[in-house]
Each structure stands twice: as structure tokens, then as C-alpha cells.
Amino acid sequence: MGGKVKTNHEKGSIAPLPHKRKVRLLLWGGAYKTNDNFTFDWTVRRVVKDYKASDNNKYEIIVKKIGSADDLLAVLNGQDDNSIRSLDLFTHGGPDHFYMVSVRSDRDRGLNNFRWYRYVFHNESFSRGDLNKVQFSKFAENAKVEIHGCKTASNPKDEDNIAADFSKRLYEAGKVKSAVIGHTENATPAINGEEKTKDPDQDYRNGKRAVFKNGRLVMLTEQRGTLDEEKLAQ
């Protein structure tokens, strides 16, 4: 996007120079159940609202629905180098995967009711090994990655999960102030409790979360809502 900055060609002169803002990516979807995708949609809106309130239009906010690992890779690798200030990922998860299933088949009938079956035989998931396909040059030095799915930071003290791996790959790519946040247990959007949380209030930023930098656990927290990005970058 265009911007104007002063140049030193002539005193007081102004010339248009290209300027690209960093981006906040919010990617969601890939659930087999329609209601789960609706929930992801609501929780994305909650986070976008907070970013708009705090950013003062500093970053470009990009929201995209994804259905597979290929979709996730295409969005990440399609960004400019050093441009991803934050990534919020809203999918089902586990310690080794971001779970995304976009394939349905009537011939499987009742078997589709079992999550293990859907993710084993209709596997469109993103595994720890798929981190090798991510171009980490696309992230900013102080990138914040928040994974809103279940158990992506399981057993945090062992530092053996996809969230820890993600943080190590970022650091190895020179993103030395980056941090990755994941849930240590099952994640719930009922931030105010099951009975009191209305659809617009749904927010996965609650419960037990772990913060990793360079593959190492640096913090465990049960703070609700946004974590301080400046402190995360220290």
C-alpha cells in the first residue's frame, strides 16, 4: 500500500514510496461438524475486535477460512517476507497435529461419527512434519503465533508438541523475538462458563496455556484474553 515519506533529495520534498504494513492472519475452519466451524467463526470475530481496538489500524487484518493443510500452507507461504506479525489458528488440534478434515463420504456412514476415523482415513491434517513446508521467512522477527485448538501444547514441560516445534522453527529462521502459544488441555470457547457465554462472547483465550520460545517453555498462564505482545517479544 502506498505511503509518503520525506526524502533527502531536496529540502522539504516528499515523494511517494511503497510501504507495506505487517499483517495479522486469522485462519479458521476444517472441522467436520458445521457447528464447530460456526464456533470458530464467532471466536475469530472476538479476536478481530480486540485487535482493532488495540492496533489503531497499524496492521492489516486478514481473515480466511481454510479446509486443509494445503490451504494453511498456501496462505502462510503466500505472504511477503517478514510480514506476518501474528497468526491465530482456529482448528481442532492435538499435540502432533492441527486437525482439518474437508472430505466427507456417504459410503462411510456411521464411521464418520468417530473423530479418529475421520482424521485417519480422511486426513487433511497438518502434522509436525509439515512444519518443514512452511516458509518461516514470511514471519516478522517478533511474530506471535496463537494456536486455539485443543492440546497443541500438551505436556508443556516436556517441550514435545507441535507448538514447541513451531517456536523452534521460527527461532531458527531468525525470528528470535517470536513466541508460540498453545493450549495444554482441551480448549473451550465458553470463556464466561457454559451458561453465561453468548455467541459473540465466545473466546478460546482462556484455560491453561503455554508459551514457547525457541522450543523452550517460558511461561504457563491461565490469564484470560490477550497476552501482552511486548512482553512476549522480550
Side-chain angles (χ1 to χ4, degrees):
M1 103 174 258
K4 291 185 176 180
V5 297
K6 287 188 176 182
T7 70
N8 58 6
H9 293 292
E10 183 179 338
K11 185 177 180 180
S13 67
I14 295 178
L17 294 176
H19 172 68
K20 292 183 178 180
R21 288 190 296 177
K22 287 182 167 44
V23 301
R24 294 195 183 277
L25 293 179
L26 296 98
L27 310 180
W28 65 277
Y32 181 83
K33 293 184 179 180
T34 301
N35 285 344
D36 290 356
N37 286 319
F38 282 146
T39 298
F40 294 151
D41 189 13
W42 279 114
T43 55
V44 167
R45 298 183 198 188
R46 175 73 256 178
V47 177
V48 167
K49 183 177 180 180
D50 284 353
Y51 282 149
K52 287 183 175 179
S54 64
D55 285 351
N56 195 26
N57 205 34
K58 184 178 181 179
Y59 304 113
E60 180 181 359
I61 296 175
I62 299 175
V63 177
K64 285 187 178 293
K65 185 177 181 180
I66 57 175
S68 68
D70 286 344
D71 289 346
L72 173 58
L73 287 166
V75 176
L76 295 180
N77 294 343
Q79 304 305 311
D80 292 328
D81 284 352
N82 304 308
S83 68
I84 303 175
R85 175 63 180 88
S86 65
L87 166 65
D88 286 87
L89 182 63
F90 302 79
T91 70
H92 288 305
D96 299 316
H97 292 82
F98 307 141
Y99 290 125
M100 290 165 278
V101 174
S102 58
V103 180
R104 298 178 187 233
S105 175
D106 292 337
R107 64 180 172 81
D108 297 320
R109 300 180 181 178
L111 286 172
N112 275 317
N113 293 324
F114 297 97
R115 182 177 295 180
W116 65 266
Y117 180 84
R118 299 197 300 268
Y119 292 123
V120 170
F121 294 99
H122 290 169
N123 190 356
E124 293 287 346
S125 299
F126 184 102
S127 71
R128 292 168 75 168
D130 287 321
L131 289 170
N132 293 326
K133 303 175 185 177
V134 176
Q135 297 176 26
F136 286 94
S137 61
K138 305 301 181 179
F139 289 83
E141 182 190 24
N142 61 345
K144 181 202 72 173
V145 175
E146 187 150 7
I147 306 163
H148 299 272
C150 295
K151 297 183 178 181
T152 55
S154 181
N155 300 314
K157 293 182 180 179
D158 293 339
E159 298 167 344
D160 184 18
N161 52 60
I162 195 169
D165 286 1
F166 204 125
S167 72
K168 186 172 182 61
R169 294 300 301 272
L170 280 167
Y171 192 91
E172 290 173 345
K175 315 307 177 180
V176 297
K177 296 183 179 181
S178 61
V180 177
I181 306 162
H183 284 270
T184 65
E185 301 175 342
N186 286 336
T188 173
I191 191 169
N192 300 321
E194 293 292 342
E195 300 297 326
K196 295 183 179 180
T197 304
K198 307 300 181 184
D199 283 348
D201 301 323
Q202 292 183 98
D203 194 333
Y204 284 106
R205 295 171 299 175
N206 70 91
K208 295 181 180 179
R209 292 184 285 169
V211 180
F212 297 94
K213 298 172 74 72
N214 189 23
R216 301 298 183 186
L217 175 67
V218 297
M219 182 171 66
L220 289 170
T221 182
E222 293 188 50
Q223 176 184 326
R224 300 200 310 171
T226 304
L227 300 182
D228 189 316
E229 289 186 333
E230 291 188 5
K231 289 183 179 180
L232 291 174
Q234 292 175 355

